[in-house]
């Protein structure tokens, strides 16, 4: 088994990436404090090129690796944040890579506009899913409307989808799929960040 197999979580980065939608994900995968197996995973950014990209918040990110060289067998998951590129040809390589991952049985997590791109590509036609709103996806003329769920996050087989207003739920679903935390720790994590219950903090401190 190669050193990266099933240990690297790949975060797609591109101009207009919505910083706030993946902040919980990146920060907590890289924080080993409460993890079930500390150090098992690492985040690696991936993009169509190696030039710096500028996020929606104006941060400049230097990609670690090239999308074209990414193989599903070398990844634990591909995460697609929201962005303004999703309805354009510039986003097609990311959709193609998501299809490759799903065909290989490797998880993909998409939030906000990234779900729109997957819808346009037909990747939501036969999977339960969610997004920013049913009307958002319906406006695209996709064929998966009967599978839409009015929920913060939906997991169907190897696909995690979420709306822009659910970054905490998106993170929780990713952590659960990766088995990053034991169940009681994940419950306390969500109690703190999702329910804003300070009891979650003290539970985490004693974990």
């Amino acid at each position: 088994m190669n050193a990266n197999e099933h240990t690297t979580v790949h975060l797609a980065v591109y101009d207009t990436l919505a910083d706030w939608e993946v902040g919980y994900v990146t920060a907590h995968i890289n924080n080993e404090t409460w993890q079930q197996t500390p150090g098992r995973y690492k985040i690696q950014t991936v993009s169509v090129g190696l030039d710096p990209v500028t996020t929606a918040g104006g941060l400049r990110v230097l990609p670690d690796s090239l999308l074209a060289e990414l193989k599903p067998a070398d990844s634990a998951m591909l995460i697609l944040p929201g962005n303004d590129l999703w309805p354009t040809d510039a986003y097609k390589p990311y959709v193609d890579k998501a299809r490759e991952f799903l065909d290989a049985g490797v998880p993909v997590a998409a939030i906000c506009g990234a779900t729109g791109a997957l819808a346009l590509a037909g990747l939501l036609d036969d999977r339960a899913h969610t997004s920013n709103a049913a009307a958002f996806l319906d406006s695209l003329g996709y064929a998966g409307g009967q599978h839409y769920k009015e929920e913060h996050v939906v997991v169907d087989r190897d696909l995690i989808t979420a709306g822009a207003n659910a970054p905490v739920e998106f993170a929780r679903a990713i952590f659960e799929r990766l088995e990053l935390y034991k169940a009681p720790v994940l419950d306390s994590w969500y109690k703190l960040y999702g329910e804003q219950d300070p009891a979650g903090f003290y539970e985490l401190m004693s974990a």
Side-chain angles (χ1 to χ4, degrees), residues 64-101:
D64 296 317
S65 56
L66 288 170
L67 187 71
E69 297 176 356
L70 175 60
K71 297 179 176 61
D74 294 331
S75 184
M77 180 181 290
L78 175 64
I79 301 173
L80 302 174
N83 59 89
D84 293 337
L85 301 177
W86 66 266
T88 71
D89 287 343
Y91 203 66
K92 186 177 184 300
Y94 299 96
V95 175
D96 291 345
K97 189 61 65 173
R99 188 188 302 278
E100 183 182 342
F101 266 58

Side-chain angles (χ1 to χ4, degrees), residues 108-122:
V108 172
I111 186 169
C112 190
T115 65
L118 299 188
L120 285 171

Side-chain angles (χ1 to χ4, degrees), residues 192-207:
L192 175 60
Y193 292 102
E195 299 172 355
Q196 300 180 26
D197 183 345
F201 172 80
Y202 296 105
E203 292 169 9
L204 288 172
M205 290 300 101
S206 64

